[in-house]
Amino acid sequence: SYVLTQPPSVSVAPGKTARITCGGNRIGSRSVHWYQQRPGQAPVLLIYYDGDRPSGIPERFSGSNSGNTATLTISRVEAGDEADYYCHVGDTSSDQTVFGGGTKLTVL
Amino acid sequence: EVQLVESGGGLVQPGGSLKLSCAASGFNFDDYAMHWVRQVPGKGLEWVSGITWESNSVGFAESVRGRFTISRDNAKNSLYLQMDRLRPEDTALYYCAKVMDGLGSYMGAFDLWGQGTPVTVAS
């Protein structure tokens, strides 16, 4: 089955830019979705179809996808952005949908 | 209010069965594919199973294929997960989730999640 690889952790200072990657074979040919999960809460959709934001998600959150890497970019990081972030794609060849292992964002 | 509410979790012995339910409200349930996703406390998200809006296509993770069955009752706005031959490694919080795209496949983004129901498989 298709495998998505995320770094276990990313650290960033407040006000700086965080980039969380999601690696997969030719992931650029797939649609990637991103979720934020705060401790004790259900995941929340942040980015869908590579770079679109649901209503209510700040413009500080953006996504890109090309080649073998998709990237979630968080600009002007705030303390409240500290959470786990997951990438997600569908694999039509196996009729399965797959999550990355998750990245814990720490705001220093 | 647009929401998903899971129920049916609990403690079950290895080899036992459990049926989870997910009650949907606030949207046209029968227009959307639905999924189950689980999460071991402190670990990542794991997709379990999905079903199209008209139940004509379903999918399962390899870890549960042949043991779990997904179904839905659009008249009752409900999604189900029948879990048989449960194993300790099935212990997790089980979420139901709605696909964002209506009347499509189950491959889209998940734009609505419930709060989860916990399942513990232990003797």
Side-chain angles (χ1 to χ4, degrees):
Chain A
S1 61
Y2 194 70
V3 176
L4 297 174
T5 301
Q6 297 182 237
S9 63
V10 168
S11 298
V12 62
K16 300 299 186 182
T17 298
R19 293 179 179 84
I20 297 173
T21 58
C22 177
N25 185 36
R26 298 178 61 188
I27 195 173
S29 65
R30 301 171 183 262
S31 294
V32 179
H33 319 298
W34 290 92
Y35 304 86
Q36 177 191 66
Q37 185 180 34
R38 294 191 171 100
Q41 297 185 18
V44 172
L45 179 63
L46 270 184
I47 296 289
Y48 61 98
Y49 292 128
D50 296 342
D52 292 334
R53 280 185 311 277
S55 60
I57 300 301
E59 292 183 5
R60 300 186 298 105
F61 293 90
S62 62
S64 62
N65 185 19
S66 179
N68 293 319
T69 305
T71 303
L72 172 69
T73 301
I74 310 172
S75 304
R76 303 180 299 282
V77 166
E78 303 172 356
D81 297 333
E82 197 161 271
D84 295 325
Y85 293 84
Y86 296 91
C87 57
H88 171 218
V89 303
D91 181 20
T92 53
S93 67
S94 65
D95 277 348
Q96 297 178 347
T97 182
V98 181
F99 288 94
T103 298
K104 179 177 181 58
L105 177 68
T106 299
V107 180
L108 301 171
Chain B
E1 181 182 2
V2 177
Q3 63 178 357
L4 298 171
V5 179
E6 302 93 338
S7 61
L11 174 62
V12 61
Q13 292 187 339
S17 297
L18 210 55
K19 186 173 185 177
L20 306 184
S21 299
C22 171
S25 58
F27 64 97
N28 293 330
F29 178 75
D30 51 6
D31 283 347
Y32 296 93
M34 298 291 296
H35 291 259
W36 290 98
V37 177
R38 68 186 182 185
Q39 185 173 36
V40 174
K43 302 297 184 182
L45 301 174
E46 180 188 14
W47 176 74
V48 174
S49 182
I51 186 169
T52 53
W53 63 277
E54 55 184 344
S55 302
N56 64 339
S57 182
V58 298
F60 296 93
E62 289 300 326
S63 58
V64 306
R65 189 185 301 272
R67 300 187 298 120
F68 289 12
T69 303
I70 189 171
S71 62
R72 63 190 296 163
D73 185 337
N74 289 343
K76 296 183 178 180
N77 291 338
S78 292
L79 174 72
Y80 305 102
L81 186 69
Q82 175 68 45
M83 304 186 295
D84 298 319
R85 290 182 283 148
L86 282 160
R87 304 167 179 169
E89 54 264 36
D90 295 317
T91 295
L93 184 66
Y94 284 72
Y95 293 103
C96 68
K98 166 188 167 289
V99 172
M100 184 176 65
D101 304 311
L103 302 179
S105 78
Y106 57 69
M107 289 295 179
F110 300 167
D111 67 339
L112 180 65
W113 297 66
Q115 287 303 306
T117 186
V119 171
T120 302
V121 184
S123 53

